């Protein structure tokens, strides 16, 4: 079973999420909180596999909420559930360590697949935000560069792309785990998925591919 903690300052929202999560296999709600302070205390107590939280709470707003919860989760998962504009906040929430960004007006249809995707080591954003992020990635790396793996890139998750970039930078599995706030086992799963999707046979081939791919495209990651 995967343990889930809900944080939202509206009673009706917390009750609705609990009701929906009751129908998600291998998921158990271990608690709920109405504020960031209460939520952080429950994270410390229960160490949930997944936190589902609004960005706007009574004692915290916006990206400050995401930052605090991502740090508290450190190696576990965080799904942001909000009414805030995803085009303004979605990418920034992911950059701060969230594993998914789900709009409240889509929760009835998308909560189950979002939770399952995140718990399986993936990420979740709306199709519109995913298209924007992918288009930005492809535009940034397309002009005048070797056309490697464009079709493969389109099938990679956001986390897999991040792992690939960090491999290019020479990071070890443990360092990637620390940077992305994931467990070592989750990074190993991402590496295995990358090898499978890219048709590579070994870790050495994966590292060589990452180095050649980014060098050919002429950009790197910000390692600060």
């Amino acid at each position: 079973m995967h343990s889930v903690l809900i944080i939202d300052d509206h009673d009706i929202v917390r009750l609705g999420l609990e009701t929906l999560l009751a129908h998600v296999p291998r998921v158990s709600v271990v608690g709920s909180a109405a504020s960031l302070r209460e939520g952080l205390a429950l994270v410390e107590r229960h160490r949930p596999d997944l936190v589902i939280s609004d960005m706007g709470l009574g004692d915290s707003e916006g990206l400050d909420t995401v930052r605090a919860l991502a740090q508290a989760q450190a190696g576990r998962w965080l799904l942001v559930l909000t009414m805030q504009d995803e085009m303004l906040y979605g990418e920034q929430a992911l950059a701060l360590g969230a594993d998914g960004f789900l709009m409240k007006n889509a929760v009835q249809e998308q909560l189950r697949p979002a939770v399952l995707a995140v718990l399986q080591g993936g990420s979740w954003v709306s199709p519109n935000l995913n298209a924007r992020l992918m288009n930005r990635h492809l535009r940034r790396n397309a002009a005048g560069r070797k056309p490697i793996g464009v079709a493969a890139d389109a099938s990679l998750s956001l986390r897999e792309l991040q792992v690939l970039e960090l491999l290019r930078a020479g990071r070890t599995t443990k360092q990637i785990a620390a940077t992305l706030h994931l467990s070592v086992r989750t990074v190993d799963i991402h590496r295995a998925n990358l090898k499978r999707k890219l048709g590579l046979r070994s870790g050495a081939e994966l590292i060589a591919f990452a180095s050649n791919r980014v060098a050919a495209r002429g950009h790197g990651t910000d390692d600060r």
Side-chain angles (χ1 to χ4, degrees), residues 92-111:
Q92 296 180 70
L94 295 171
L96 287 172
D99 300 283
F101 194 91
L102 178 61
M103 299 296 293
K104 283 186 176 180
N105 58 13
V107 69
Q108 187 167 354
E109 300 82 14
Q110 296 182 9
L111 180 66

Side-chain angles (χ1 to χ4, degrees), residues 123-154:
S123 56
W124 181 271
V125 294
S126 74
N128 287 339
L129 181 55
N130 185 60
R132 173 177 174 171
L133 294 172
M134 184 59 67
N135 287 337
R136 178 180 299 176
H137 175 81
L138 295 176
R139 283 199 309 270
R140 186 181 62 196
N141 300 303
R145 294 152 188 156
K146 186 177 178 181
I148 329 190
V150 172
D153 277 352

Side-chain angles (χ1 to χ4, degrees), residues 6 12-24 29 111:
I6 299 168
I12 189 66
V13 173
R14 296 197 304 275
L15 178 60
L17 290 175
E18 289 188 32
T19 300
L20 291 172
L21 289 169
H23 301 285
V24 180
V29 176
L111 180 66

Side-chain angles (χ1 to χ4, degrees), residues 159-180:
R159 276 286 193 237
E160 288 163 353
L161 288 169
Q162 290 174 322
V163 169
L164 197 62
E165 294 288 331
L166 290 170
L167 286 171
R168 193 277 323 162
R171 304 290 180 86
T172 66
T173 296
K174 288 184 179 179
Q175 290 170 335
I176 293 172
T179 300
L180 298 180

Side-chain angles (χ1 to χ4, degrees), residues 193-210:
N193 288 337
L194 283 166
K195 287 189 291 184
R196 175 177 54 81
K197 290 181 179 182
L198 297 171
L200 304 173
R201 294 173 295 179
S202 67
E205 286 188 357
L206 177 59
I207 292 171
F209 175 86

